[in-house]
Amino acid sequence: MKLLDDKIIVRNLTKKTAGGIVIPGMLVAYTMYEVVAVGPGHYDKRGCSITPMEVKVGDRVLINYGSCQKIEGKTINVNGTEEDLFLVDTAEECIMVLDDDETIG
């Protein structure tokens, strides 16, 4: 799989209980994701240049709730558990990148 432009694939870091209840642990308007894959950056047709991505694989990012689309049939194995992957159409949907020691909620 190769991403184009400034597309991002992420996995949801929102915690769920064994019964499937979502525990947001953060503001309802945002969801925390981990970046799984990124494209090369935004291609500017007028200037014939690529603006590099501001996020990288492994970053934890906050994204507006509802800005991601579930990718049907694509999952990632994390610690023996299959997790869904989500597509973010543009890197501009990322509100912020969290530092390693930062938490939300």
Side-chain angles (χ1 to χ4, degrees):
M1 171 172 48
K2 178 180 177 181
L3 291 175
L4 303 175
D5 209 35
D6 61 342
K7 307 271 190 275
I8 303 171
I9 293 181
V10 294
R11 73 178 182 96
N12 193 334
L13 293 178
T14 304
K15 303 295 182 212
K16 290 185 181 181
T17 65
I21 299 172
V22 175
I23 304 172
M26 64 199 70
L27 300 172
V28 175
Y30 310 108
T31 305
M32 188 166 45
Y33 295 90
E34 179 183 5
V35 177
V36 175
V38 296
H42 179 69
Y43 179 70
D44 179 6
K45 294 175 186 170
R46 289 177 278 172
C48 296
S49 62
I50 294 178
T51 304
M53 296 293 282
E54 293 187 58
V55 298
K56 63 185 181 312
V57 173
D59 280 349
R60 291 178 309 128
V61 296
L62 240 83
I63 298 176
N64 281 325
Y65 180 80
S67 294
C68 300
Q69 303 168 16
K70 181 178 174 183
I71 304 173
E72 296 298 329
K74 291 281 187 188
T75 59
I76 187 170
N77 189 315
V78 179
N79 298 327
T81 304
E82 291 295 318
E83 295 187 19
D84 293 325
L85 292 177
F86 297 86
L87 175 67
V88 183
D89 281 336
T90 176
E92 291 177 350
E93 296 296 333
C94 296
I95 296 167
M96 70 174 69
V97 177
L98 301 171
D99 292 332
D100 291 339
D101 59 346
E102 280 186 298
T103 58
I104 299 295

